Amino acid sequence: MSLKPFNKLPELNTANVLLVENEERFQKKLADAIVLLENNVNVIVRLARSLPLPLENAESRPRIDLVVFIVHLNSEQSLLSAETSLKHLDSGYFLGKVCFLVTGARCGTLPYERLTSLKKMAATLNSPLLMTEDKTAEGVNTAAQRVLAVLRVAAGLVPMATGLYLSSLTRCTVPNDPDWQNQD
Amino acid sequence: MSKKSNPSRLDMNASSENDSSNSGRSDRSLRVAENSRKKREAEDPFLLALKYFSRVEEGTPWRGNDVLERHMAVVERVALSQGLPPEAITVMLDFALSLRMRTQFCVRTLKILIPASAVPQDAVIQGVSWLCVGKMTVSMQVMFLRWVLTVFDLIDSKDQLRAIYGFIFSFVTEESLCPYVCHLLYLLTRKESIRPYRVRKLLELQTKMGKQPFLMHLLALYKIFSPELVTLSFPSKMKSGFKNHNSTWKAALSAVQRRNNVEVTSDLRLTFGPREQPVSKKRKMRSHLTMPALSSVPQSGSSGRKALPLEQLRAFPQLLENLDRIELPAQMGSMLGSSLALHYLDCVRDSSAFLRLNFWLGHALHEEFLFCREASSQNTVEGTRFLNTLISTQRLLQEGFSSTEVFLYRFLRVWDGSLLRPEILTLLSDIPVVPSSRIKDLLFEPLMQLFFTSSLFFKCSVIECLNSMLLKWLTWHSVYALEDELDISVSSQNPVNMTLSGLMDSVVELVQFVGRIATIGLQLEGYHTLLLSFTLDFYETVCDMYLKYNLPLVLMPPAGVFYPALLSTSPVSVDRLCHVMHKYRTNLVSAKHQEKQTEKPFHISRKTYRKFNQYVVSIVSCLWNSRAFQPGMGIELGEDLLTRSKVSEYWGAFNLIHHPAFVSYAIDFHQKCWPERKELDLNSIKAGRRWDWYTEFLFCRGFQGVKEFVQNSFSRRSSIREVGTDSQ
C-alpha cells in the first residue's frame, strides 16, 4: 500500500516529517537537530529505512507532510534503495512533499555519475535536492534548518505558500551546458 | 645489541664532557663519536633497508625472499608514518625505475614514495633518464609521470629539469604518455623552451589526436609566450585541461604532511612582503590548499641580463628600481600571499603569469573544495584562510580570476549554503559580468534552489551579495566604457569583451532576478523587516543606475517589493522607499531631458514611466490624501471586503497619521500639541496648519526620504493628476 498525502486530516500546529535512509547513520542526528530547532510548532520526526512503511501502524500514523530521502553518494546501495522506496509513494507527494538530501557531493570522482543520475531523477520528479555536509555539526544544523523550511511550507504553516509553489521554485534542474557539468 | 650500544653511548657523553676541558683528547673523542654513529646507523633497520635497496643486484630472486620483504616492510612503515627523507627518495626511486626486481614489486615501491619534506631534483632527473632507457612498461611510465606531477611542488629546484625540456618533450609522441607529459611540460615551460619545431610537433599531434584539452592548454601557453609561432585561436574559457593524477598518493601525502607540520615549520619561512603570515607552513601540510613559499629558480645564463628573484625584494622602492629585471617565482601560487608580488603582477600585466596563476588557482580550488576526501574543522579553518587570501588578492588586483569564477559555478551546485558562506558569497560578488545567455544556468538556478530553502539570514546575505555584484558591474562599466565602441574589457587577463547592450541585458536579468526572489522571499518570510531592508538596499543601487553610473537604464521595483515596503510597519522602510522613489524621479526626469537634447536618444519604455507614475500616485494617495484602496491605485479591494474588516474610514488607514509605521509619531505629536487632553483624537491633526506642523515634525525626526519625496514630487495642495502629467 502506498503512502498517501491527503487521506488524513492535519492536526493543529503540527508538522510530520519522515526521514528515509537506508544506512541509518545520518537520520538520527538530523532528527535531533530538527526537533531542537523548531519551537513554535510541534514537529514530529519519523524515521524509516525504506518504504513501504509497516502496515500495522497505518491507522494510527498521522499524516506525513514531507518525505525526505537521504542519499549518500559514496554508496550505490543508498541510491538504489531510495529509488525503490520512491515507488511506494502516492503521486500526490510529488506536488511538493518530497525532497532529497545528498551527502558527499564534494568528494572525489567516484560519486559524480551517481550525482548526475540522482539529479536527473529529482528533476523528473520536480523535487528539490539539498546538498548537505553531514560530517560537521554546522552542516547538520544547516541541513535541519533547510528541511524545516521546506517542511513548514509543505505542512501548510506558512500563509500564502504551498508545497507545490515552493517546489516549483526550488526543484532540481540539470544544467544543459555540458561544459560546466563535467568535472574531472 | 642493546647491551653493546649502551656503553658506547655513555662513552660518547663522557668524551663530550671532556671535550671542553681538554682539547688534546678531542680527536679521539670525535673518532669515538663517529664510531658510535656508525654503529647506530648499522643498527637502524631503515638505514639498513636503504643500503640494501641501493645495492641489490639485478635478478635477485623475488619470490620467497625474506630479506627483501623485511626491508620493504620497514621502508613502507617509515614512508607511511613520517614520509621518506630526500636521500631515501633518491635510492628508492632509482631502485624502482631500474627494474631490478619484478615490475609488480617496482610498482609497489613507487606507491610508497611519500616525501617527508622535499624531493631532490637529481632523483627526478635520474628517473627521466630511466624513462629514456625504455625498459619500463607503459603503465609504469605513466605511474612515474603521475608521481612527478603529484610531488612537483616539492621538487627542490627545477632548473635542471628545465634543461632537459627537450628530452621530456620527446615523449609527447607516445600516445598513452601524452597527457601527462603535456601537463609536466606546462609546468616547466619558459619562453626560451618554445621552438618552432616543438610547436609544429604539437600541431601535428593535434591534427592526429583531435582537440585534446591537454594539447590545447599547452599550445595556449605557447601562444602566450610566442604569439607569432602559434596562430591557432582558442575559446576564451577552456575546459579544465589536466586531470588530477595524485589519487594514488594524495591521502598518504597529506596525512604525512599534516603529521610533520609541527617539525617543518622552522626550516621554511616566508620572508617576503608586508604580510608575513605563516604561509609556507601550509605548503608542508597539504599539497594544494597552500600558498607555496616564494622561490624562483636562478636563471642559468640563458638570458643575458641579471634577473632578480621576487623573493629577494623587500620594499616597494626596490620593486620600482628593479621592475624590468624581476624573475617570477617558480610557483605562481606563492604570489597570492605577497602584496609586493601582486603589485608587480598588476603592473607588468604579463599574461603568461596570469595564465599560470589562474591554472594553479583553479587546480587548488578544485582539489580542496570539490574533491576533498574528508571534512574536518581543520580543513575549514584552512579553507577560510585560503579564500580570504584570495579575496584580498582579487581586491588588490580589482578583478576576479577566471578560475575562481569557474570554481564558483561548480561549487554553487554542491553547496549546502553554510560551508564557508561569507567567503563564498564575497567571491561570488566579485565575478565579472556574466553573459545574459548563461546567467540563468550558471548563477540563478543554483542560487534559487539555495535561497528558498534556507534561513532568513541566508536570504539577506544573498541579496546583499547580488547588490554588491551589481555595484561592481556598474562600476566596471562606468570606468571602462568607451562612448562609441561601447566596449568594456572586464578582466584584463581574460578579456571578455562585452558590448553595451550585452552588459545591459545582463544587468536587466540580474535586477529582474532579484525582484523575483525578493518578492517571493518576502512573502515566505512574512515580510520581515530585515529582508525588506536588504531589498531596499538593492533598489537604492538600481534607482541611480543612469545618473551615477551612466547606464541608460531605469528599472522599477516589482509590486511585490513596492507595496510591502509602503505598507510596512517599520517607518525606516517607508522612508527609504520614498527616498528610492525620489531618486527614480530624478533619473527619469534627466533621462527625459537627455532624450530631448541629444542626437542619439535612448529609449526608456513608456511602461516604466507608467509604472513610476502609478507608484507615485499610490504613495501620495496612501500617505497624503487618505485615498488608499481607491481605483487607480495598485492595490484595490472590494468594497464589501473592506467594510467587513470593520475599519471605519479605511481609506485613511495608511495616511501619515494612521499608518502603522507612523502612528506612534502621531501620538507623540498629539501629546505635545495638547498636553492637557485626556482622550486621543488623531484626526484633529489633519485640520488646518496642524498638518503642516505634523509633517515638519516628522521631517525633524529624520525622515529625509519622505521629505525629499514630498518636497520634490509634488507641489503642495496640487492634485494627483498634475503629479502624473508632471513626470510623464
Side-chain angles (χ1 to χ4, degrees):
Chain A
M1 200 183 84
S2 64
L3 200 60
K4 288 196 169 62
F6 301 118
N7 62 349
K8 283 178 188 154
L9 289 174
E11 290 163 53
L12 194 64
N13 264 344
T14 306
N16 289 286
V17 59
L18 176 68
L19 306 182
V20 183
E21 185 198 20
N22 189 39
E23 284 77 7
E24 293 186 307
R25 58 170 197 245
F26 182 49
Q27 54 180 191
K28 185 79 181 54
K29 269 194 284 180
L30 185 66
D32 289 343
I34 290 177
V35 173
L36 276 180
L37 267 176
E38 180 60 71
N39 300 320
N40 297 331
V41 187
N42 197 7
V43 175
I44 298 167
V45 185
R46 294 175 163 259
L47 308 180
R49 278 195 68 152
S50 60
L51 298 182
L53 296 175
L55 271 178
E56 58 251 37
N57 301 329
E59 280 307 306
S60 60
R61 187 179 299 128
R63 190 174 92 165
I64 305 280
D65 298 302
L66 179 70
V67 182
V68 180
F69 289 96
I70 300 171
V71 179
H72 300 286
L73 283 184
N74 50 16
S75 121
E76 181 79 42
Q77 188 53 39
S78 184
L79 180 62
L80 292 178
S81 156
E83 251 172 67
T84 43
S85 293
L86 275 172
K87 297 192 181 98
H88 300 282
L89 276 186
D90 188 80
S91 56
Y93 269 103
F94 298 105
L95 305 174
K97 285 171 179 288
V98 169
C99 90
F100 293 89
L101 221 60
V102 186
T103 72
R106 295 192 304 125
C107 298
T109 38
L110 182 75
Y112 197 73
E113 268 83 70
R114 257 175 238 157
L115 181 60
T116 316
S117 63
L118 184 61
K119 272 189 171 170
K120 275 186 188 136
M121 186 167 83
T124 47
L125 296 173
N126 281 343
S127 305
L129 187 80
L130 311 183
M131 305 291 173
T132 48
E133 305 287 326
D134 60 332
K135 298 288 192 305
T136 57
E138 200 201 344
V140 176
N141 218 11
T142 311
Q145 265 180 19
R146 296 180 70 190
V147 168
L148 261 180
V150 180
L151 175 64
R152 268 191 226 117
V153 175
L157 301 172
V158 178
M160 313 287 287
T162 63
L164 183 60
Y165 179 48
L166 187 68
S167 77
S168 70
L169 299 165
T170 56
R171 70 199 159 84
C172 179
T173 47
V174 182
N176 46 15
D177 192 344
D179 236 27
W180 302 96
Q181 200 179 2
N182 275 334
Q183 307 199 354
D184 283 344
Chain B
M1 266 191 183
S2 63
K3 262 181 195 168
K4 259 173 82 188
S5 70
N6 272 342
S8 77
R9 215 162 268 168
L10 280 176
D11 194 356
M12 188 182 76
N13 286 344
S15 69
S16 62
E17 267 169 31
N18 292 341
D19 220 27
S20 51
S21 59
N22 190 348
S23 55
R25 285 177 63 191
S26 67
D27 260 8
R28 195 181 78 87
S29 59
L30 269 179
R31 214 164 47 237
V32 171
E34 177 75 1
N35 278 344
S36 68
R37 195 180 62 82
K38 268 187 189 159
K39 221 173 258 169
R40 256 179 300 135
E41 256 173 33
E43 287 151 16
D44 185 347
F46 179 59
L47 293 178
L48 278 178
L50 284 189
K51 199 177 274 174
Y52 173 81
F53 282 117
S54 62
R55 291 189 190 155
V56 65
E57 296 278 320
E58 192 166 348
T60 309
W62 167 70
R63 195 156 296 165
N65 188 341
D66 286 346
V67 185
L68 173 71
E69 270 306 322
R70 202 177 62 232
H71 287 314
M72 193 65 197
V74 169
V75 176
E76 263 171 1
R77 203 178 55 237
V78 173
L80 294 179
S81 63
Q82 46 199 281
L84 297 174
E87 57 275 19
I89 294 277
T90 315
V91 171
M92 294 311 287
L93 187 66
D94 191 50
F95 164 72
L97 298 184
S98 61
L99 294 177
R100 276 176 273 177
M101 297 279 170
R102 289 271 301 271
T103 307
Q104 290 93 316
F105 206 82
C106 298
V107 169
R108 184 173 153 196
T109 316
L110 264 184
K111 274 186 188 161
I112 54 143
L113 279 183
I114 312 293
S117 52
V119 174
Q121 180 179 220
D122 294 341
V124 182
I125 301 274
Q126 181 87 358
V128 175
S129 66
W130 281 116
L131 201 66
C132 296
V133 170
K135 256 166 61 180
M136 276 186 259
T137 59
V138 173
S139 64
M140 188 87 187
Q141 290 173 334
V142 167
M143 190 156 175
F144 168 65
L145 286 173
R146 279 174 49 213
W147 179 80
V148 174
L149 289 169
T150 306
V151 298
F152 189 82
D153 291 355
L154 300 173
I155 298 176
D156 50 9
S157 64
K158 280 128 193 160
D159 50 337
Q160 289 180 37
L161 266 178
R162 292 213 171 85
I164 57 164
Y165 192 94
F167 285 94
I168 300 173
F169 190 91
S170 66
F171 287 100
V172 289
T173 46
E174 311 243 345
E175 202 161 326
S176 47
L177 296 188
C178 188
Y180 309 99
V181 171
C182 283
H183 191 170
L184 187 57
L185 291 175
Y186 188 95
L187 296 170
L188 290 173
T189 300
R190 286 286 168 101
K191 186 165 172 46
E192 51 277 11
S193 354
I194 294 160
R195 302 284 156 74
Y197 59 86
R198 288 190 183 139
V199 176
R200 267 202 305 278
K201 189 88 219 166
L202 286 180
L203 289 175
E204 193 181 297
L205 276 174
Q206 200 180 22
T207 46
K208 207 170 81 188
M209 298 167 73
K211 287 201 168 180
Q212 298 291 347
F214 45 86
L215 282 174
M216 298 279 280
H217 269 265
L218 188 58
L219 277 167
L221 184 68
Y222 275 30
K223 182 170 180 164
I224 280 168
F225 281 120
S226 320
E228 71 282 1
L229 291 179
V230 186
T231 48
L232 281 176
S233 66
F234 297 97
S236 62
K237 284 199 178 102
M238 278 192 283
K239 269 161 87 168
S240 68
F242 301 114
K243 291 183 177 168
N244 294 303
H245 314 300
N246 54 9
S247 50
T248 321
W249 299 275
K250 189 185 172 187
L253 194 61
S254 56
V256 163
Q257 289 182 335
R258 198 167 299 153
R259 219 169 290 144
N260 288 0
N261 82 68
V262 191
E263 293 131 57
V264 292
T265 41
S266 54
D267 66 312
L268 266 167
R269 283 180 313 276
L270 181 78
T271 49
F272 177 74
R275 290 186 328 127
E276 277 201 28
Q277 42 174 339
V279 169
S280 49
K281 167 186 148 198
K282 298 200 301 182
R283 164 186 177 172
K284 292 291 159 183
M285 282 159 60
R286 301 175 61 72
S287 52
H288 285 284
L289 213 189
T290 56
M291 277 70 73
L294 263 177
S295 75
S296 43
V297 182
Q299 261 183 347
S300 48
S302 55
S303 72
R305 69 207 171 111
K306 207 170 135 253
L308 182 77
L310 251 182
E311 71 266 22
Q312 287 177 13
L313 281 183
R314 288 289 173 276
F316 199 73
Q318 206 186 350
L319 171 73
L320 292 182
E321 277 165 29
N322 298 299
L323 205 55
D324 54 332
R325 53 190 197 92
I326 279 175
E327 166 93 343
L328 283 172
Q331 262 298 311
M332 291 307 286
S334 60
M335 301 191 76
L336 288 188
S338 146
S339 57
L340 263 187
L342 290 174
H343 278 302
Y344 171 71
L345 192 65
D346 196 33
C347 168
V348 294
R349 293 263 147 225
D350 179 351
S351 49
S352 76
F354 267 112
L355 194 79
R356 283 169 64 197
L357 191 53
N358 242 323
F359 171 70
W360 180 86
L361 194 64
H363 198 70
L365 286 169
H366 194 229
E367 192 70 10
E368 287 311 318
F369 299 104
L370 293 170
F371 235 65
C372 49
R373 294 285 137 135
E374 79 274 20
S376 67
S377 52
Q378 164 83 22
N379 286 6
T380 324
V381 173
E382 262 184 41
T384 315
R385 202 184 306 150
F386 181 77
L387 291 185
N388 278 324
T389 314
L390 180 58
I391 289 167
S392 56
T393 303
Q394 293 195 351
R395 288 279 148 84
L396 199 146
L397 296 173
Q398 295 188 352
E399 57 190 283
F401 292 104
S402 63
S403 52
T404 321
E405 201 188 338
V406 173
F407 159 73
L408 282 172
Y409 296 146
R410 282 176 180 163
F411 191 77
L412 277 186
R413 296 203 164 268
V414 292
W415 193 27
D416 75 331
S418 82
L419 183 79
L420 304 165
R421 170 162 55 201
E423 290 78 22
I424 293 292
L425 287 180
T426 313
L427 280 178
L428 194 63
S429 70
D430 277 345
I431 61 171
V433 185
V434 188
S436 60
S437 57
R438 319 186 67 178
I439 197 167
K440 186 165 171 289
D441 266 358
L442 296 179
L443 210 59
F444 294 167
E445 286 286 349
L447 269 184
M448 279 235 290
Q449 287 165 26
L450 285 163
F451 184 86
F452 291 117
T453 53
S454 293
S455 62
L456 172 72
F457 184 71
F458 183 82
K459 291 190 174 95
C460 293
S461 13
V462 168
I463 303 260
E464 191 197 11
C465 157
L466 294 176
N467 185 17
S468 101
M469 186 191 289
L470 178 67
L471 264 176
K472 273 164 205 158
W473 290 7
L474 293 174
T475 314
W476 271 321
H477 163 73
S478 60
V479 174
Y480 291 109
L482 305 167
E483 277 285 319
D484 292 325
E485 271 88 306
L486 306 172
D487 166 26
I488 48 170
S489 166
V490 171
S491 72
S492 46
Q493 88 273 25
N494 183 10
V496 179
N497 290 327
M498 191 166 258
T499 59
L500 181 64
S501 71
L503 173 81
M504 276 178 31
D505 285 348
S506 296
V507 170
V508 170
E509 286 278 341
L510 181 64
V511 173
Q512 283 179 346
F513 173 70
V514 174
R516 247 176 3 249
I517 61 169
T519 302
I520 303 167
L522 281 169
Q523 186 192 345
L524 288 176
E525 296 292 343
Y527 302 101
H528 201 284
T529 317
L530 194 62
L531 185 57
L532 193 56
S533 162
F534 278 96
T535 312
L536 288 173
D537 270 345
F538 181 78
Y539 280 102
E540 257 176 51
T541 311
V542 174
C543 66
D544 233 0
M545 282 194 299
Y546 174 62
L547 281 181
K548 203 164 165 190
Y549 300 98
N550 203 21
L551 191 71
L553 201 61
V554 180
L555 298 164
M556 299 302 293
V561 171
F562 177 82
Y563 289 104
L566 178 60
L567 307 180
S568 151
T569 51
S570 123
V572 180
S573 303
V574 182
D575 183 59
R576 292 182 66 192
L577 181 73
C578 288
H579 170 70
V580 167
M581 290 309 289
H582 167 63
K583 283 275 178 201
Y584 269 121
R585 192 192 124 86
T586 45
N587 273 269
L588 281 173
V589 167
S590 99
K592 195 95 190 164
H593 191 64
Q594 185 84 4
E595 212 170 336
K596 275 180 194 148
Q597 276 195 339
T598 52
E599 304 280 291
K600 315 176 286 185
F602 56 89
H603 191 64
I604 286 175
S605 79
R606 294 196 67 78
K607 262 193 195 157
T608 310
Y609 286 107
R610 209 175 300 136
K611 202 162 185 181
F612 172 78
N613 284 330
Q614 199 198 10
Y615 283 165
V616 171
V617 169
S618 290
I619 294 185
V620 173
S621 49
C622 251
L623 297 182
W624 209 264
N625 292 337
S626 304
R627 287 193 206 161
F629 309 115
Q630 305 266 310
M633 202 185 142
I635 22 174
E636 288 174 36
L637 283 178
E639 192 74 38
D640 53 328
L641 209 62
L642 286 164
T643 31
R644 268 212 337 238
S645 74
K646 300 227 173 67
V647 180
S648 58
E649 298 184 22
Y650 56 79
W651 52 87
F654 285 101
N655 63 21
L656 278 179
I657 299 167
H658 292 97
H659 194 293
F662 293 105
V663 71
S664 61
Y665 292 93
I667 293 171
D668 196 14
F669 180 76
H670 186 271
Q671 275 171 352
K672 287 211 164 84
C673 266
W674 301 282
E676 70 287 351
R677 257 202 219 177
K678 282 278 172 312
E679 82 260 25
L680 201 64
D681 180 21
L682 289 181
N683 279 333
S684 56
I685 299 175
K686 259 193 191 164
R689 295 189 60 80
R690 298 247 156 69
W691 175 255
D692 296 343
W693 291 346
Y694 176 60
T695 49
E696 210 49 52
F697 171 80
L698 282 182
F699 299 160
C700 290
R701 284 287 183 276
F703 292 110
Q704 291 303 312
V706 181
K707 188 179 177 184
E708 282 169 339
F709 181 80
V710 168
Q711 289 181 345
N712 295 300
S713 282
F714 59 101
S715 53
R716 300 284 277 276
R717 312 259 177 257
S718 65
S719 73
I720 309 160
R721 196 144 298 125
E722 272 173 73
V723 180
T725 46
D726 175 43
S727 39
Q728 195 130 28

